[in-house]
């Protein structure tokens, strides 16, 4: 068994990265409260530096590099947000960064990653193994591999978003968190179990990629083919050796939503709350809408994970 991160690690991460990250706003909507019959608090990580929560974990991991690791550099693999996060964090700390990204990654995310100084190496997400490519590059060039979710420093950093949310608004009855590889959900669970122990915690996946739900219910990590979904940040194939034990221990359930539900939430965020939210960032809200009967009269937190989406693609979603 790996040594799993704890809430102490989340608390230490919050102190470590506080001068580097943005304390993102918590927003509310009277319309949402009326629709769900609850008090709903959106933790808006779409306003985080580089546009997503991933910057928290990336910065927490890179700030713990020793001098040799800083000099040799970091390598990461990602469909977009972790790529940008590592590239920006590395630039801030003066660390060379190599990023392995799929050929079909959103153009805006690739451009941003390069703009932050990342050296992008592409691969075919449907035929090649990004994890193996990352390990090979690390071995060949002496780089330190920081995966997008399955790393204790990454998990602890991601948990600081839920920590901030609960410390700002108080204890919650429910918390909805998007789920890809499980870094944000695992970190959020560590924070919520400590700061709001009676809160029900839900991970939310795209219906087409429910490996987390299958894993949660079977008791062991399930691997799937790369799912076809508009939620590109959740196109993972399996949970991690660090994330899964925390999720299985601390999370109440894993839910799924459809791409159509994600589009409806994107449209709501744009029209009513004036926010650009990427499809993956809508997972939590989409599930909360479906759980309204369970949370009537209660306090609900939703982590909006990011807002990085190609404008052309985004316009197409809203026009559909």
């Amino acid at each position: 068994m790996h040594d799993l991160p704890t809430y102490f690690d989340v608390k230490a991460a919050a102190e470590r990265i506080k001068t580097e990250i943005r304390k993102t706003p918590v927003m509310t909507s009277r319309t949402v409260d009326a629709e769900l019959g609850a008090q709903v608090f959106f933790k808006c990580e779409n306003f985080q530096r580089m546009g997503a929560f991933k910057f928290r974990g990336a910065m927490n991991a890179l700030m713990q590099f020793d001098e040799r690791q800083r000099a040799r550099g970091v390598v990461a693999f990602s469909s977009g947000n972790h790529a940008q996060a590592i590239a920006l964090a590395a630039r801030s700390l003066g660390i060379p960064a190599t990023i392995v990204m799929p050929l079909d990654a959103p153009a805006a995310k690739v451009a941003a990653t390069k703009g932050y100084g990342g050296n992008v190496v592409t691969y075919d997400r449907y035929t090649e193994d990004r994890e193996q490519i990352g390990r090979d590059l690390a071995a060949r060039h002496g780089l330190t591999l920081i995966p997008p979710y399955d790393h204790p420093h990454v998990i602890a950093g991601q948990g600081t978003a839920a920590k901030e949310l609960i410390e700002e608004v108080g204890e919650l009855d429910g918390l909805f968190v998007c789920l890809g590889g499980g870094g944000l959900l695992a970190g959020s669970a560590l924070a919520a179990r400590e700061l709001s122990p009676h809160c029900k915690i839900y991970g939310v996946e795209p219906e087409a990629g429910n490996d987390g739900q299958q894993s949660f219910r079977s008791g062991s990590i399930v691997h799937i083919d790369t799912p076809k979904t508009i939620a590109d940040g959740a196109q993972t194939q399996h949970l991690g050796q660090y994330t899964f034990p925390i999720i299985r221990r601390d999370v109440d359930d894993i839910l799924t939503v459809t791409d159509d539900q994600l589009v409806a939430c994107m449209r709501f965020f744009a029209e009513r709350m004036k926010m650009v939210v990427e499809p993956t960032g809508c997972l939590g809200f989409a599930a909360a809408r479906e759980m309204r009967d369970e949370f009537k009269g209660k306090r609900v937190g939703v982590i909006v994970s990011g807002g990085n989406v190609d404008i052309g693609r985004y316009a197409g979603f809203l026009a559909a």
Side-chain angles (χ1 to χ4, degrees):
M1 173 63 71
H2 296 282
D3 289 333
L4 300 178
T6 66
Y7 175 70
F8 174 82
D9 297 302
V10 177
K11 188 175 180 181
E15 184 65 24
R16 183 178 297 114
I17 67 178
K18 66 182 181 182
T19 60
E20 302 293 335
I21 64 162
R22 182 173 296 141
K23 184 178 180 183
T24 52
V26 176
M27 297 183 67
T28 59
S29 163
R30 293 180 184 178
T31 303
V32 172
D33 288 357
E35 178 188 335
L36 273 62
Q39 279 186 287
V40 182
F41 303 95
F42 294 101
K43 179 61 170 172
C44 297
E45 286 295 290
N46 50 317
F47 295 119
Q48 186 53 261
R49 289 184 65 189
M50 54 67 50
F53 75 96
K54 291 281 191 178
F55 188 68
R56 296 172 180 271
M59 184 58 75
N60 189 51
L62 267 58
M63 288 183 80
Q64 297 182 70
F65 274 22
D66 61 28
E67 287 305 312
R68 186 197 66 81
Q69 290 174 304
R70 286 177 178 243
R72 298 304 292 267
V74 62
V75 61
F77 48 82
S78 166
S79 63
N81 282 338
H82 181 63
Q84 294 172 80
I86 289 289
L88 179 57
R91 188 181 73 179
S92 299
L93 298 171
I95 299 171
T98 299
I99 315 294
V100 180
M101 299 186 74
L103 288 164
D104 62 346
K109 293 184 178 182
V110 175
T113 302
K114 291 180 178 179
Y116 293 139
N119 172 35
V120 174
V121 175
T122 58
Y123 75 102
D124 185 329
R125 77 163 89 218
Y126 298 103
T127 62
E128 294 182 280
D129 183 349
R130 68 180 189 171
E131 297 181 28
Q132 188 58 52
I133 295 169
R135 286 192 293 267
D136 289 346
L137 287 167
R140 193 177 314 135
H141 302 291
L143 310 177
T144 299
L145 176 63
I146 299 296
Y149 55 87
D150 204 30
H151 190 289
H153 297 166
V154 171
I155 293 168
Q158 316 307 28
T160 62
K163 178 179 183 291
E164 286 179 9
L165 170 63
I166 297 167
E167 287 178 342
E168 179 169 339
V169 306
E171 292 195 30
L172 299 168
D173 298 300
L175 178 64
F176 291 84
V177 185
C178 67
L179 173 59
L184 180 61
L185 179 57
S188 296
L190 293 175
R193 282 287 163 258
E194 177 71 23
L195 300 174
S196 187
H198 302 296
C199 176
K200 288 193 172 182
I201 304 168
Y202 298 95
V204 190
E205 296 179 299
E207 188 176 74
N210 73 329
D211 61 291
Q213 186 181 67
Q214 292 181 56
S215 301
F216 186 80
R217 295 180 182 173
S218 70
S220 60
I221 297 174
V222 172
H223 291 246
I224 63 171
D225 292 333
T226 301
K228 290 185 165 69
T229 170
I230 64 171
D232 62 280
Q235 284 183 299
T236 47
Q237 295 176 287
H238 59 86
L239 299 179
Q241 298 297 319
Y242 289 97
T243 61
F244 176 62
I246 298 170
I247 290 169
R248 192 176 180 212
R249 181 191 69 200
D250 291 341
V251 170
D252 289 277
D253 202 2
I254 306 296
L255 312 173
T256 65
V257 297
T258 66
D259 281 2
D260 285 346
Q261 288 173 299
L262 296 180
V263 171
C265 289
M266 291 173 70
R267 186 175 293 116
F268 180 89
F269 280 133
E271 291 180 346
R272 304 305 295 267
M273 297 183 71
K274 315 309 175 192
M275 292 199 303
V276 174
V277 180
E278 64 186 274
T280 308
C282 295
L283 285 164
F285 181 34
R289 283 177 138 176
E290 295 301 305
M291 294 281 284
R292 70 188 76 186
D293 290 342
E294 182 163 339
F295 287 100
K296 283 200 183 303
K298 296 185 177 179
R299 296 164 51 82
V300 175
V302 175
I303 297 188
V304 178
S305 61
N308 295 325
V309 58
D310 283 330
I311 292 300
R313 191 166 179 248
Y314 179 72
F317 289 142
L318 298 190

